[in-house]
Amino acid sequence: MMSSQRPLTVAATAALAMAGSAAAFAPSSHVASSIASAASRTSVVSNLVVDPTTIVDAIDTTSSVLAAGGNAEGIIDGVTSTLSSVAASASAFSSSANLLSFADQGQNLAGIFFQASLLPYLAFLYFLGFRGNRTPALGNFGWQFLLLFVLSTIPGGIISKSVYSTSLADCDWLHGSAEALLTITNVLIALGFKSAMTQEEPIPADKPRLLAFGAFGLWVAAAAIGPQIGFEGHSAFLFGAGDLPTDAVAALPWVSHAEPVNALSVPTWAIHFSSVFEFLFAMGLIWDFAEATGNEKWKGLTWGMLPLHASGIAACTYHFFYNPSSLQFLVSTQAGLTLLGNITVAIAAYRIAVSNGWTLRELNPFSKTETSPEGLAIDEAAAMPLQFSEAKEPTAVLVAKLSAATLLTSYLVKYGELGLDLPFNPNPFAGAA
């Protein structure tokens, strides 16, 4: 039974998500008005049927403007105009099944959860970026970059459904390349917080920012031309680098099943596991950041990140069973945990900001005087130096350990499960366990 409240279509979701990206990179004093403006403008495009290439062009343009430090209102105007201009091409995609967003889950429970999770995440970014928090610039950008990963699932889901008649989870090259943006997010967060605590001159955000936007640009290019140059629905991400030959797999002594066609490649499994490990590492670093700042409220952010970590585990569990429709509840669980996690990190960031002097007056869009008592107190808190500590391990050693753990886990899961009956006989109890 369909809800009486109509879910956002892809066009509306894209416009709101792009507006959120713009707001995340804009000065905090403009965030509230930007979000409100975007929410009202999505009604303009909520009924449009959009050609996938148009959305790819729109997000490519958006990321370019963001990289150049564009104004949030200008970006929102441009995106809304771009989406509105494609009304004439509506006949190209007549079925709403082609308009599934957020990993092609647009109009079921998972899609509703994913879409609802956007606004609390924008609130999280606003409070995290409050200047009194002393949030490392690179780490803060990492959290912002996650919005581009969210954006990538929109055209990714559309292309996988409309071109290949399959889900994004089953289209390995699109799936793995989109998930790579999540890995980049976690790397930026971890590097940002680690360098802020262990170096008097933390890693500047400029070069990593350009590299991250470059990676996103590569994804946009791949998504746009992949179907035209012969990429198929089950083509492997990175051409399946590291995958064992079929004959070699069959010769393994424990193998009793053949891999399904939608099995994740080694690179895609590696992207998933590296994201899980990196996120755990980032959680530990943020816990330690409480000592560096002398503010115990930062530990609350680590607790708030737990549902997001559980969301990643739910996704990996679904892939372990080869993405069966009988375990669709795992996708809904992943989405629900994402919504819960975005709410809990928003609450944690709010508590951090309040402890550092944030008040409702910060929502005032008009500039405060340089001599206001509140502004002086916040500036003083922002200028407090961090307590540095020696790195427990060199970064190179950490990278080597992460790489080894990622590859080992990827091979164990991909080829180890071929000796088990469980993944080939999925049931809700096994999935929930």
Side-chain angles (χ1 to χ4, degrees), residues 287-378:
W287 184 276
D288 294 339
F289 198 67
E291 296 182 6
T293 58
N295 187 345
E296 291 294 305
K297 294 293 191 295
W298 278 99
K299 292 183 177 180
L301 181 53
T302 296
W303 288 111
M305 293 166 67
L306 280 174
L308 297 176
H309 172 64
S311 173
I313 297 299
C316 290
T317 302
Y318 184 60
H319 301 325
F320 175 81
F321 287 98
Y322 301 108
N323 313 327
S325 59
S326 60
L327 297 185
Q328 177 66 24
F329 78 92
L330 285 174
V331 180
S332 299
T333 300
Q334 176 197 1
L337 288 169
T338 298
L339 173 58
L340 175 62
N342 286 357
I343 292 173
T344 54
V345 295
I347 293 172
Y350 167 77
R351 295 176 70 242
I352 295 170
V354 169
S355 71
N356 289 317
W358 185 90
T359 65
L360 287 174
R361 293 183 180 181
E362 290 295 318
L363 296 177
N364 183 352
F366 299 102
S367 300
K368 299 176 179 61
T369 64
E370 297 180 358
T371 58
S372 65
E374 298 88 351
L376 291 174
I378 294 170

Side-chain angles (χ1 to χ4, degrees), residues 156-171:
I158 294 172
I159 294 170
S160 64
K161 180 65 68 174
S162 62
V163 177
Y164 303 117
S165 299
T166 189
S167 68
L168 179 59
D170 287 334
C171 187

Side-chain angles (χ1 to χ4, degrees), residues 190-208:
L191 281 179
F193 280 89
K194 182 177 184 295
S195 67
M197 291 185 292
T198 59
Q199 302 178 23
E200 293 187 8
E201 293 293 334
I203 298 175
D206 293 343
K207 182 176 289 187

